[in-house]
Amino acid sequence: MDCTYCGCRVEDHDPVYVSRGPGGEPTGRFCNYGCLSAHVDAESLAEGTACEWSAAER
């Protein structure tokens, strides 16, 4: 299987698989956490998420 980010074979590395829910089919395959992190940054996947939490929301 190829890495979602860089296209390398994930089996040749320390792969990370992601899915939409626990135990679900993988929706992304990455060589390692570095490729996963780069993919999140490149696709702006963390913008507007829970990273903007404030104490008033408790």
Side-chain angles (χ1 to χ4, degrees), residues 3-51:
C3 177
T4 302
Y5 179 70
C6 74
C8 292
R9 286 178 31 93
V10 296
E11 294 86 357
D12 294 343
H13 304 279
D14 189 17
V16 176
Y17 301 93
V18 295
S19 66
R20 296 199 182 273
E25 288 294 317
T27 56
R29 297 162 180 87
F30 301 91
C31 293
N32 52 41
Y33 286 104
C35 278
L36 173 58
S37 177
H39 175 72
V40 169
D41 290 344
E43 298 294 322
S44 301
L45 298 176
E47 289 184 16
T49 64
C51 296

